[in-house]
Each structure stands twice: as structure tokens, then as C-alpha cells.
Amino acid sequence: MRRILLESLLRRPVTDAAPKLDDAELAALAARIDVAARRRLGRSLAIREVDAGSCNGCELEINALQNAVYDLERFGLRFVASPRHADVLMVTGPVTKNMRIALERTYEATPAPKWVVAVGDCAVSGGLFAGSYACVGPASAVVPVSLAIPGCPPTPTAMLKGLLTLLRS
Amino acid sequence: MTPLAALIDTDRAADPESRWPRVMVDADTWLDIAAQLGAGGWTLVGLWADGQRVHMAVADDAPRPAVAVVSLDAEDGAYPSVGRYHPAAIRLERALRDLCGLRPEGMPDPRPWLDHGAWGVNAPLAGSRGEPAPSVPEGYTFLRVDGEDLHEIPVGPVHAGVIEPGHFRFTVDGETVVRLEQRLGYTHKGLESLLAGSTLDHAARLAGRASGDSTVAWALAFAHAAEAACGVAPPPRAVWLRALMAELERMANHFGDVGGVCNDASFGILNAHCGVLRERVLRAAASCFGHRLMMDRVVPGGVAVDLEDSGIITLRGLLKEIHRRLPQIAELYDQTTSLQDRTVSTGILRPALAQRFGAGGHVGRASGRDFDTRRDLPYPPYEQLRFTVPVQTEGDVNARVWVRIREIDQCVGMIEQMLALLPDSPIRVPVDAAAGALREGMAMVESFRGDVLVWLRLDASGTVARCHLRDPSWFQWPLLEAAIEGNIVADFPICNKSFNCSYSGHDL
């Protein structure tokens, strides 16, 4: 333990620099960001992740946001265990019919002001699962979506850029 | 006990040359096999339907591991239940009834499984051929637990962490879990229905999303099945690159899980270090193959992208770092008593149960089930690689962590060998889906979680007529219910993470 701690002290941090945000990219990502709500929430956001039927690829990359390389918390962004503590819902998956009610209830349980971020091609458009008897389709068919981050799955850097648009005043 | 080969007259097989002979049987033989499974003679590796025909894949360990498929035509939409004799078949039969509309006669559990009553169709895979299935009733009845001072804790489908959705119903006595009952199916996307009617290339993309964490293994198993059905062999370099990707995937997942288990014991430092190593593997994968999870890189006929010389240098650097860091991580895990206190003797899966359910991967191998598809039902290039299959017998969380750590070490050795032996050849051959006499293919591939199975039937035009995917989780989820019994509720997350079953791979 001591050796690992000592090594960590002597080495340079593994954390990447913050991604550069480019305006055109941000404009494309943000479909509807409520500026007034952003002022009220300040520079810190609590995120609740809702898997609405993904293949778990998006979850792997969302989890990667919390590793030491991306270190999401340095931006004031953090994952919380309950929608009641959340400002943002990150929704993944093609919203299966079996998850529809759970997603609706999670949204209702989240206090306003709140935003929904659709993460990954499935949540953005239904992806490869569009048209299935078992899927509702994109997240926007069930809850209002403010930001769409496409990709299969989106890289952690792409997600980080998207989430930072929510904080940018 | 009858060996599998004696019961199945391979002369009658659809293709006697196939690695996986399939024969039609009558109801009596079907029941004999079910009884053999129940008696523990053989292992069930799959149970699915194609139209009105039920297929069952069975493995026999002696004299050497072999797998065969038996098929039975359902009469009036019913077939004799296997779950009645062999509990590992029960969830498969419940799902088969939900999806294909075929009734398992004599099955002890009449409840639906994947169908929650929200699809708007009954038996979506039955098409117009099946009898209309009875509609799913509102609500769901959990098994009754009687006793003084018991109470229930419902958890999910939306969980506290960033994980997949599923419902857990705990019945507890104080802090102790008396029973856990799972309810799954929340991530059912209708994957097998989307596969039907797809071209091979599109179907490969779909199969690669059965469970995102095992996308390479799924795409590989699908490619094997498609190549068997069409009678083509992938070029040598592609074979080696596929295995290289599969081992990178295994390593990345094991790092994630070792860190995750430690994190669930509030030992964050190991999660941080494992997380960085996982990230290194994913970045190396992205730089070598153009995708962090290597999705859609394994395709029928070969691989989609070649490994450049610069990639070989990247991978050698990665291996060097892991070689140096893994012993440190193992040592810290082993010598932290507060962590050991949480993992040793927690969530014990008895070896007999692991054997009975044919649990694959780290779940089986931490409970003494010495089985690995790469060694026991080998596919190229693994017969040319030196590796060992780590096995432990304690069956607790600690054993599952150790199996993973030791497997990472094996992955490093295998990738080193592959980089040295990588042959030169094209990386892809065309697959003519409309050619080939057999039109049917099956494959089993070792994912990080255990053996995945793909069965594929093509129609005359070369599109997928039916494709079945069976994730290792089918035989691991029920064992988690058994392993948690008698543990405290607070130890469920660590037990669950040590299994790390796939919701999506199971629900499809």
C-alpha cells in the first residue's frame, strides 16, 4: 500500500486535460438548454443514470467518466444514487417497453429544474433497435430531452463535452 | 451413464462432419436426455425454438468434452418440459414460451419471464405459425416466503449505481437474506426478432450488441456460426487478430470487475488503479482497431481492420505496463485485511451447484468447474497457444476475484505469444451467404463471462431465418440467488459484482 501511494505521489497525475469545447459542436449537441434553470443550478450538477434497455456498452463508458483519467468530479459533476437528488438524468438504451414506466417514474421523481441527456445512438434515435416490437424508440418519445450525445457508444470525451455544455454559462 | 455419442446416432445428424452434430429425436429420447441432465450426467448449454421445433444443446464431459444438439418437433404447440427434471432449464423454457409460444408440458413454473405484458404482441417469434398465446396477466407473483419477522426489500429496476436494470426481491430476517428472487426482462429489446430477416453483416452488428461488454466474443461467435453455415474459413491473420481482440476485451473487463468488487467494499484506491489500467487497455484498442470496445471489428469472413506495426508497439507497451502493475494490485488486494474481511467466505457458490447449472467463466471456475471453451471445445488459434485455466474451489467472492486476476495474467501471456506469431495474410474473405449446403451453423466462444452460444439458420437467399443467442448469464443469474442466501443484505452489491452477470445478454 505504502509503495503504491508513494509511487502515485511521485508520478505525474494520469488525469487528462479538460476537453476543448467548440461552439459549433456545442450548438449541435444542445437541442434545448434552459438558461434560467442553468443559472439556478450554478456550476455543479448531480447526475442520475437510467439504463432504459441499453446493451451496457454506454454504461461502461459512463463508468469510465468516473475513473482517474476523466475525473468527472473535478468539473462539479457527480453521479448520485437517487433521482430525488438529481439535476440531470442520463438516459441510455432504446427505451424498452418493459422499462418505459420505470423511466417515466424516475423522471417524475426528479425535482425541477431538471434536464434529460440522451446518451448513445439507441437513446438518441432508437439505434439498431428502432422498430422492434419491444422498444418504444428514442428517449425523447417518453421524456423531454435537452441534449443528445450520439455514438455507439459515445466516448467518455464526447460525453464530457456534452455535459460541460450544461454548465457553460 | 450413457455417453452422449452413444445416445445420438451421428449418422442421422444434419451434417455428420459438423463439430456440433444435430439430430432429430422423439419425445421419449428427449425425456431420457432431460432425465440425464437432471441426474447430473450431462450439462445443458442451450434450449431454444425455431418455429415449431425445439432445440436443446447438451454437453458431455467424458470421454472428452463434446456438444450435440437434439431437436424435437412440438406437437400442438407443446413439448415435454426439461425444467421439470433439470432446474437450470426453467428460465429458458419460460422465455421460450414467452417468445415462441411453445408450451413446456409439466413445467413447474407457469409464470412468464421476459414478457411483462407491455409488448402489445404475444409470442413475437412465433409469427403466424404459432397458436395465439394466452395474454400475460397484470402484475407478477413472487414466490411466497413464510416465517415470523420476515420482511421484503424490493430493489430496482432502476438501481443506485450506474448499472443495468433488473428487479431484486429480498426476503430478510433482520440483516440476513432468507431468499432473493430476481425478476429480469427489463432490457428485452427483441434482438432475435430483429436478427430474423437481416443480412449477415447487419446481423453481426446486432449480435455484437447482445451484451456490449462482450461485443468481441458475441461478434466472434456469430462469425463462427455464419462461416460454418456458409462453408467458408477466415484467413489466418484474421483468426489471430480475433483472438487478440477477445483477450484485450477479457482483460479490460476483468480489470473493471476487480476494481468494482474492491469499490463495493469501499476500498477505492484499487478501483482507481484498476480503472486506469482498464482505460489503458481501451485506449490501446482504440488506437489499434479504431474503437474502444472493438465493436463491429469482428465480421463474418474475417476482421474489419488490420493491426499495423505501430499497433504492435502500442500493445507491447501496454503489456509491459500491466506486467509491472498487476503484481502490485494483487499484492495490495491480498494484504489488505479489511478488504479480505469483506470478500473471503462471502457469497459462497457451492461447487455442486455450479456444476449442475453448468456455470461458465469465473463463476464456475471459482467453484471448481474446470471448464473453458478455449481449451475444452477449442477453436483456432487457441490450440497453438500456451495458457492455463485458473480454477479455485472456495466459491466465494475472493475466489472469483482471484480467478480474474490470474486470468489477466494469462491474457498477457497469450497476447505476447500472438504478437510474436501473428501470421501474414489478407484479413477478410468474402462470405457468400447464399452458398453453402448446410445453411445452419453453431458456435461456442469463451467471453470474459463464460461461454456464449450462437445458433444460426439461413434461408435460401442468404438472409438470417433464425438466430439464437445464449449468454452465459442464463446459468449464472439463478446461482446468484443461491449464493446470497444467508449473507447480509449489505453484502449483496459485492456478491453481485463478483458474478457480474449481464442483464442485456440475458434479456436480449
Side-chain angles (χ1 to χ4, degrees):
Chain A
M1 173 88 125
R2 251 178 266 149
R3 205 177 57 191
I4 286 193
L5 288 174
L6 193 65
E7 262 190 29
S8 304
L9 275 176
L10 296 176
R11 275 193 318 210
R12 291 159 57 85
V14 294
T15 312
D16 278 354
K20 286 208 170 60
L21 303 179
D22 121 5
D23 283 327
E25 204 170 16
L26 298 193
L29 282 173
R32 196 180 60 85
I33 306 281
D34 184 340
V35 177
R38 184 160 59 199
R39 282 210 191 93
R40 274 175 62 192
L41 290 168
R43 293 193 46 77
S44 174
L45 291 176
I47 305 166
R48 170 68 253 178
E49 197 266 348
V50 185
D51 176 339
S54 90
C55 74
N56 77 29
C58 289
E59 277 60 40
L60 294 175
E61 295 296 57
I62 291 174
N63 272 317
L65 284 173
Q66 302 183 77
N67 72 26
V69 179
Y70 298 103
D71 190 18
L72 185 77
E73 296 210 13
R74 71 188 141 143
F75 301 108
L77 300 162
R78 69 188 193 285
F79 286 95
V80 293
S82 166
R84 299 203 189 279
H85 307 156
D87 310 306
V88 175
L89 294 182
M90 279 176 91
V91 180
T92 64
V95 192
T96 60
K97 290 189 181 165
N98 289 352
M99 270 306 286
R100 180 189 192 129
I101 293 175
L103 176 59
E104 285 169 352
R105 287 190 186 169
T106 307
Y107 181 76
E108 281 160 22
T110 311
K114 56 188 163 189
W115 293 306
V116 176
V117 180
V119 175
D121 287 348
C122 290
V124 172
S125 69
L128 283 179
F129 301 99
S132 165
Y133 67 88
C135 299
V136 181
S140 58
V142 181
V143 289
V145 169
S146 306
L147 184 74
I149 305 176
C152 188
T155 61
T157 308
M159 285 193 248
L160 207 47
K161 283 183 181 176
L163 290 171
L164 290 177
T165 64
L166 293 174
L167 285 177
R168 215 186 192 200
S169 50
Chain B
M1 184 182 22
T2 335
L4 187 61
L7 193 80
I8 295 159
D9 178 5
T10 44
D11 293 344
R12 289 186 298 135
D15 174 19
E17 298 292 304
S18 166
R19 291 185 68 198
W20 325 92
R22 183 172 75 74
V23 290
M24 293 300 300
V25 293
D26 56 20
D28 288 339
T29 314
W30 180 271
L31 282 170
D32 279 350
I33 295 168
Q36 284 272 23
L37 288 168
W42 299 330
T43 306
L44 179 71
V45 292
L47 181 65
W48 67 97
D50 178 11
Q52 292 291 304
R53 186 167 285 178
V54 196
H55 301 292
M56 171 159 59
V58 181
D60 186 6
D61 296 338
R64 58 188 183 79
V67 172
V69 182
V70 292
S71 310
L72 173 73
D73 281 328
E75 281 179 31
D76 300 327
Y79 66 96
S81 164
V82 180
R84 182 180 180 182
Y85 302 94
H86 185 49
I90 290 178
R91 286 183 179 177
L92 290 164
E93 292 193 327
R94 290 167 71 184
L96 194 155
R97 184 184 44 205
D98 289 353
L99 296 175
C100 304
L102 302 180
R103 297 185 311 279
E105 267 181 353
M107 220 270 278
D109 196 335
R111 297 172 299 169
W113 182 239
L114 298 178
D115 190 349
H116 294 191
W119 297 338
V121 286
N122 288 320
L125 289 179
S128 54
R129 292 161 296 179
E131 292 288 310
S135 65
V136 172
E138 284 277 313
Y140 184 79
T141 318
F142 286 90
L143 299 177
R144 224 179 106 140
V145 185
D146 287 320
E148 251 180 79
D149 300 329
L150 298 181
H151 69 281
E152 283 189 343
I153 308 175
V155 178
V158 180
H159 295 158
V162 180
I163 58 168
E164 299 177 76
H167 183 87
F168 299 120
R169 185 67 60 99
F170 296 94
T171 305
V172 296
D173 180 5
E175 282 293 315
T176 308
V177 177
V178 175
R179 172 184 276 163
L180 160 65
E181 190 183 350
Q182 298 150 355
R183 191 190 184 198
L184 303 174
Y186 289 94
T187 71
H188 177 77
K189 295 177 269 292
L191 188 61
E192 292 188 354
S193 155
L194 292 167
L195 281 163
S198 295
T199 61
L200 276 186
D201 285 343
H202 186 68
R205 287 168 58 81
L206 283 167
R209 282 154 183 84
S211 184
D213 50 16
S214 340
T215 180
V216 174
W218 273 116
L220 180 56
F222 182 84
H224 281 180
E227 287 153 9
C230 303
V232 291
R237 190 175 176 84
V239 168
W240 287 74
L241 289 178
R242 287 171 170 188
L244 182 58
M245 288 190 235
E247 297 311 317
L248 285 173
E249 176 175 87
R250 192 178 327 275
M251 225 159 46
N253 280 304
H254 283 341
F255 274 125
D257 285 353
V258 171
V261 167
C262 296
N263 198 45
D264 281 341
S266 302
F267 196 64
I269 184 170
L270 267 183
N271 188 33
H273 283 277
C274 288
V276 170
L277 287 176
R278 180 185 154 82
E279 182 66 23
R280 296 266 190 266
V281 178
L282 298 189
R283 287 189 173 189
S287 102
C288 294
F289 301 107
H291 191 284
R292 285 164 56 88
L293 305 180
M294 296 167 284
M295 272 179 171
D296 308 323
R297 270 35 188 184
V298 177
V299 291
V303 291
V305 53
D306 201 357
L307 180 66
E308 306 292 331
D309 288 345
S310 59
I312 294 179
I313 296 167
T314 305
L315 290 175
R316 288 222 164 99
L318 173 75
L319 294 183
K320 203 172 151 196
E321 181 175 9
I322 292 172
H323 203 69
R324 190 177 67 82
R325 306 279 288 144
L326 188 64
Q328 292 181 348
I329 284 174
E331 188 189 340
L332 183 55
Y333 172 78
D334 198 38
Q335 295 188 354
T336 305
T337 43
S338 59
L339 183 56
Q340 294 280 304
D341 185 44
R342 293 291 307 279
T343 60
V344 175
S345 80
T346 304
I348 295 175
L349 171 63
R350 286 184 293 112
L353 208 50
Q355 184 66 36
R356 194 164 154 75
F357 272 68
H362 47 263
V363 173
R365 291 196 283 272
S367 292
R369 184 167 181 258
D370 188 4
F371 176 82
D372 188 314
T373 320
R374 292 171 296 170
R375 183 196 62 195
D376 299 319
L377 299 166
Y379 46 93
Y382 288 100
E383 53 293 34
Q384 297 180 54
L385 296 174
R386 288 185 317 276
F387 64 102
T388 57
V389 177
V391 177
Q392 312 247 140
T393 50
E394 301 85 354
D396 54 2
V397 171
N398 182 52
R400 289 188 282 278
V401 169
W402 271 114
V403 166
R404 285 177 166 101
I405 292 176
R406 293 167 63 198
E407 280 188 14
I408 295 174
D409 198 35
Q410 293 300 316
C411 291
V412 172
M414 274 190 264
I415 295 173
E416 272 169 2
Q417 295 173 56
M418 286 192 262
L419 292 178
L421 296 171
L422 195 62
D424 257 336
S425 83
I427 54 161
R428 192 172 183 181
V429 291
V431 178
D432 182 0
L438 188 56
R439 324 302 304 147
E440 235 181 71
M442 187 170 121
M444 283 173 76
V445 159
E446 191 74 15
S447 76
F448 86 99
R449 187 178 273 123
D451 48 294
V452 301
L453 180 150
V454 170
W455 184 83
L456 174 70
R457 183 171 65 81
L458 299 173
D459 66 17
S461 67
T463 54
V464 175
R466 175 81 172 96
C467 181
H468 172 68
L469 314 174
R470 195 272 301 144
D471 194 86
S473 308
W474 277 99
F475 302 121
Q476 296 170 344
W477 274 120
L479 298 176
L480 178 61
E481 289 186 351
I484 192 64
E485 211 177 284
N487 286 258
I488 57 171
V489 180
D491 277 343
F492 179 70
I494 201 168
C495 291
N496 191 21
K497 191 73 211 175
S498 75
F499 271 65
N500 191 16
C501 304
S502 173
Y503 299 71
S504 180
H506 167 282
D507 295 349
L508 288 183

